[in-house]
Amino acid sequence: QVQLVESGGGSVQAGGSLRLSCAASGYTYSSYCMGWFRQAPGKEREGVAAIYTGGGSTYYADSVKGRFTISQDNAKNTLYLQMNSLKPEDTAMYYCAADLCPATIATMGGLYEYNYWGQGTQVTVSS
């Protein structure tokens, strides 16, 4: 069974940066898709970014383009989300998800229902 564990969340002032990590285990294949999602109180979960580990294709939500960067370290089986120029609107619980890649990377970054999820890490941005 695939297991995902997020870390790196915390509190930061607007304009600051954080780097989230997602450690993955349990995969028997080398290529799959992984995504970052977030959910704020009273709001629906939204896709933030996604990556295809076999080829490096990425997707970013319009709200984070130019500010967030998704990357991977295959040797460590770890996914990262570098978040710069943080805004109060970025405050949310951030979740890591993983699955095979049955759709486009854009779909994997938004509408696709992933089978495997982490427990989440809280990001709070103050003004």
Side-chain angles (χ1 to χ4, degrees), residues 33-116:
C33 284
M34 299 187 73
W36 285 100
F37 294 78
R38 65 187 183 187
Q39 186 169 26
K43 297 183 179 180
E44 295 184 346
R45 179 186 293 165
E46 64 173 329
V48 176
I51 187 169
Y52 170 56
T53 66
S57 298
T58 58
Y59 164 84
Y60 296 95
D62 289 340
S63 60
V64 306
K65 284 182 179 178
R67 299 189 298 121
F68 292 9
T69 302
I70 188 170
S71 62
Q72 63 182 351
D73 185 335
N74 288 331
K76 296 181 178 179
N77 293 317
T78 301
L79 177 74
Y80 301 100
L81 183 67
Q82 178 66 47
M83 306 185 294
N84 297 326
S85 301
L86 284 163
K87 306 175 181 179
E89 304 93 277
D90 296 318
T91 295
M93 183 71 75
Y94 283 70
Y95 299 91
C96 173
D99 213 330
L100 296 178
C101 302
T104 64
I105 192 63
T107 299
M108 301 306 294
L111 300 178
Y112 182 75
E113 291 291 336
Y114 283 77
N115 285 316
Y116 305 103

Side-chain angles (χ1 to χ4, degrees), residues 19-33:
R19 188 183 73 166
L20 306 184
S21 298
C22 175
S25 63
Y27 278 104
T28 59
Y29 41 86
S30 60
S31 299
Y32 50 93
C33 284

